[in-house]
Amino acid sequence: MNNTGQLSRRSLLAAAAFAGLTTLVGCGSGDDSSDDPKDLSKKEVGAMKKYGVGDQFKATKPLTFSLLHLDSPVYPPKKSWLFWKELTKRTGVTFKTTGVPYSDYEKKRGLLIGAGDAPFLIPKTYPGQEIPFVASGAILPVSEYVHLMPNFQDKVKKWGLEGDIDSIRQADGKYYLLPGIHEKVKVGYSLALRTDILEKEGLDLPTTWDEVHQVLKALKEAYPKVYPFSDRWNQPEPGGALLNFLAQSFGTKGGWGYNNYYFDSKAQKFIFTGAMDEYRQMLEYLNKLVSDGLVDPESFTQSDDQAKQKLLAGKSFVISANPQVLADEYRFNLEKQVKGSSIAIIPVPIGPAGPVVRGTRLENGMMISSKALESENFVAMMQFVDWLWYSDAGQEFAKWGVKDVTYTSSGPGKYAPKDGIKVQAINPDAKKDIQKDYGFSNGVFAYGGNWSLVSSSFADDEKEFEDSMAQRKLLPIEPAHPLKASEQEQATLWETPLRDHVRQNTLKFALGKRKLSEWDAYVAELKAKNMQQFIDLHNKAYERFKKENG
């Protein structure tokens, strides 16, 4: 669910001590050397003297690192997991885990960091979630130590991720999160349609939002007592998924992807998202669907279960989807309940903005406690993190496990689970599960990577969907514009009232409870809530960061 400046190159004394590391990457690429480097000479216990891209990390003595572990309810952790045993065998590293349930993870993470009790390694942190911990000094400015991480640096340079990395830098020019990184943007969500119903009515799958309107109108005429489109994913953000992918088609941001500022690449400045003409045009389109009786008015407020029940009962034919729920929830249950049914996800329909896709290649990643820098094993820890989370071999291991035990491979990027093992949508009836029974494909460790690895567990639907979206123009990452602590405090006071007003009126305009002829009055209300001051603050930060970092 769920965003550029550049630092000048600085020399690194520590780099000379690690001649086996890869060459430092260029400006703004994640290479954060220092004119006054910290002395790491007493923190190399257990580290490899020569460690470079493609090398297997193996600690020179047994090591244990503390780790905050999100305990998924889908695959609760087990001591018997092959993942733990094989990881120690390959690297010499054992984890001391602090397990936290999914529902409490963010709260518990914050409490542990605030109390100074956080484990050294704090994964499952999305870009932006590290910001509250920067000022206290509780987390490490990891950009100062990526010279110890050759695989990370290599992928940043090879995949052209400099801008993405720069987007998470803070006001001091450093970044405090090691993000998961992708070779390509992975698009998650779009519309799914009952293809058996379309075929019955002689309708084609739509490719544009105008065609979506036409198809829904035809379905309404054929089934007048049905709302053709009834949607899900409304908690905590009403219309979270739909508005997210609809907005990009109109050249704006909405739903899960909404924030109050949007970078206008033509004007080279930030503008307020909820007041954009493109945002208004998106709401006009939604209002037309609602007023024509094509969208269930409960689509923006109902629970997921209610939306799915309507689909399964034939009370709707269109719903937001991602490839996984398409296979595991919609198709699986439809086939059991409705003989001859079929459903398919379509590429995000094209709108006024053209065939574009918005997204970041940054994934949830790792914060590191500042206390870790005091450890004599610090260098070894950074090498280990680099291998497990950023090397090709480490990422393959975390996702697929052990060759000829949990998977087979017929060549680079070609993987198949061993007989009797389920991997997401592959081998769905197998008795063993690669997550539940072996601990691989665990979201704490397995994310990001090259496209062949990421796509290796896709079902046919997902492959077709992602291949189609990959052909579209990727919208640029918004430039870095970190706020100073005092500015952040002020922005936070303005942020929530503005966001709440946009959210409330988005629903009112879409559902026809407020006429779009009142748009100018709505914008005036935003201005009264300090909209312009909020945007001025972000533009000031953008200009300052650009001036200071080039």
Side-chain angles (χ1 to χ4, degrees):
M1 296 181 287
N2 357 281
N3 324 292
T4 67
Q6 293 180 324
L7 291 180
S8 60
R9 185 189 302 266
R10 291 170 290 179
S11 61
L12 262 181
L13 180 62
F18 288 86
L21 298 179
T22 55
T23 305
L24 295 180
V25 190
C27 301
S29 65
D31 169 23
D32 285 83
S33 36
S34 174
D35 292 327
D36 184 25
K38 296 179 176 65
D39 182 10
L40 301 177
S41 61
K42 296 181 180 180
K43 301 171 184 178
E44 301 171 5
V45 176
M48 295 173 62
K49 291 185 176 181
K50 291 185 177 182
Y51 171 68
V53 175
D55 290 343
Q56 169 65 53
F57 171 79
K58 185 65 180 285
T60 57
K61 60 175 291 185
L63 299 175
T64 298
F65 299 128
S66 57
L67 172 97
L68 194 65
H69 188 278
L70 186 152
D71 294 352
S72 171
V74 179
Y75 44 95
K78 300 176 182 178
K79 291 183 179 179
S80 61
W81 274 354
L82 177 61
F83 175 85
W84 309 122
K85 180 180 179 181
E86 187 68 21
L87 181 69
T88 301
K89 176 181 176 182
R90 296 190 185 196
T91 66
V93 170
T94 302
F95 283 129
K96 178 183 178 182
T97 62
T98 298
V100 181
Y102 179 87
S103 58
D104 295 332
Y105 191 74
E106 290 187 29
K107 181 180 179 181
K108 182 70 171 179
R109 180 181 62 198
L111 291 173
L112 287 170
I113 294 174
D117 297 328
F120 282 4
L121 303 177
I122 312 169
K124 213 63 182 174
T125 301
Y126 286 86
Q129 292 181 338
E130 79 281 13
I131 294 174
F133 311 114
V134 169
S136 68
I139 60 172
L140 201 67
V142 288
S143 55
E144 298 294 281
Y145 304 98
V146 295
H147 63 284
L148 302 173
M149 304 178 65
N151 289 289
F152 174 80
Q153 290 193 114
D154 178 64
K155 283 182 168 59
V156 167
K157 183 177 182 180
K158 185 166 57 180
W159 295 345
L161 285 162
E162 292 88 352
D164 301 67
I165 294 296
D166 287 341
S167 72
I168 62 172
R169 294 183 188 273
Q170 302 306 310
D172 58 4
K174 303 172 185 177
Y175 53 93
Y176 292 73
L177 177 74
L178 286 171
I181 52 178
H182 285 265
E183 181 182 13
K184 296 182 180 180
V185 168
K186 182 175 180 288
V187 179
Y189 297 81
S190 185
L191 295 179
L193 297 89
R194 282 279 301 274
T195 47
D196 58 315
I197 300 295
L198 295 188
E199 291 172 7
K200 180 180 177 182
E201 302 303 326
L203 300 170
D204 295 326
L205 288 170
T207 60
T208 68
W209 286 107
D210 286 342
E211 290 177 4
V212 169
H213 178 263
Q214 294 166 14
V215 167
L216 293 177
K217 191 171 183 180
L219 290 172
K220 183 68 174 180
E221 291 172 356
Y223 304 87
K225 295 183 179 181
V226 169
Y227 286 114
F229 182 14
S230 188
D231 212 17
R232 63 179 295 182
W233 283 315
N234 296 305
Q235 284 87 29
E237 184 73 26
L242 172 62
L243 290 171
N244 186 34
F245 60 77
L246 177 64
Q248 71 177 359
S249 303
F250 279 79
T252 184
K253 293 186 288 189
W256 289 334
Y258 181 85
N259 56 41
N260 282 328
Y261 51 82
Y262 184 97
F263 190 71
D264 185 332
S265 57
K266 292 182 179 179
Q268 286 292 297
K269 66 178 183 180
F270 286 94
I271 57 178
F272 192 82
T273 309
M276 295 172 65
D277 285 343
E278 292 84 353
Y279 200 87
R280 176 182 55 78
Q281 291 166 13
M282 176 185 72
L283 296 181
E284 287 176 342
Y285 176 81
L286 273 178
N287 176 254
K288 182 176 178 62
L289 296 185
V290 172
S291 61
D292 287 350
L294 310 180
V295 174
D296 183 354
E298 296 179 350
S299 286
F300 303 95
T301 54
Q302 67 188 350
S303 70
D304 288 2
D305 284 342
Q306 288 173 314
K308 288 186 287 185
Q309 287 167 7
K310 290 175 181 178
L311 179 73
L312 297 175
K315 295 181 179 180
S316 71
F317 308 122
V318 182
I319 190 170
S320 289
N322 64 41
Q324 186 168 353
V325 302
L326 177 78
D328 295 348
E329 298 178 20
Y330 305 160
R331 181 174 293 138
F332 178 78
N333 290 304
L334 274 170
E335 288 176 349
K336 287 200 302 183
Q337 296 185 35
V338 184
K339 186 177 180 180
S341 65
S342 59
I343 188 168
I345 190 171
I346 60 173
V348 175
I350 296 170
V356 298
V357 60
R358 178 181 301 285
T360 176
R361 290 182 290 164
L362 302 188
E363 175 65 272
N364 70 80
M366 173 90 65
M367 290 188 292
I368 295 179
S369 169
S370 293
K371 288 186 176 181
L373 187 59
E374 301 170 10
S375 170
E376 64 179 9
N377 307 130
F378 176 75
V379 172
M381 186 191 75
M382 296 302 289
Q383 292 177 344
F384 168 75
V385 167
D386 181 64
W387 180 82
L388 180 56
W389 276 276
Y390 297 102
S391 75
D392 289 345
Q395 291 173 335
E396 178 184 78
F397 166 74
K399 184 177 179 72
W400 280 99
V402 182
K403 188 175 180 180
D404 297 327
V405 176
T406 56
Y407 77 96
T408 60
S409 177
S410 59
K414 297 180 179 180
Y415 305 88
K418 289 282 287 185
D419 291 343
I421 299 178
K422 176 182 181 290
V423 177
Q424 296 181 23
I426 307 173
N427 288 353
D429 299 322
K431 293 182 179 180
K432 294 284 188 177
D433 185 286
I434 199 166
Q435 294 176 316
K436 297 177 182 178
D437 297 298
Y438 297 95
F440 299 105
S441 291
N442 179 347
V444 175
F445 307 107
Y447 45 74
N450 62 60
W451 187 245
S452 63
L453 179 68
V454 170
S455 63
S456 62
S457 57
F458 287 176
D460 290 341
D461 279 322
E462 190 164 8
K463 288 179 181 177
E464 186 176 345
F465 174 72
E466 294 291 353
D467 285 346
S468 176
M469 294 302 297
Q471 306 306 311
R472 300 192 180 183
K473 178 184 177 182
L474 179 62
L475 295 171
I477 295 292
E478 290 184 340
H481 55 290
L483 303 178
K484 294 181 178 179
S486 59
E487 295 171 332
Q488 185 65 57
E489 184 177 353
Q490 180 60 71
T492 301
L493 294 175
W494 292 332
E495 167 80 29
T496 301
L498 286 166
R499 179 186 287 269
D500 288 347
H501 196 66
V502 171
R503 179 186 289 124
Q504 293 163 9
N505 282 276
T506 293
L507 292 181
K508 289 179 180 179
F509 285 129
L511 296 173
K513 295 181 178 180
R514 185 172 188 179
K515 296 181 180 179
L516 280 154
S517 58
E518 297 182 27
W519 181 261
D520 289 345
Y522 155 73
V523 173
E525 292 159 8
L526 289 171
K527 290 179 179 177
K529 294 180 182 295
N530 302 296
M531 176 185 79
Q532 193 57 52
Q533 293 94 318
F534 176 84
I535 289 300
D536 288 345
L537 198 63
H538 282 275
N539 278 317
K540 177 183 176 182
Y542 166 59
E543 293 297 335
R544 178 180 63 236
F545 190 83
K546 184 170 61 172
K547 180 179 179 181
E548 292 177 354
N549 295 279

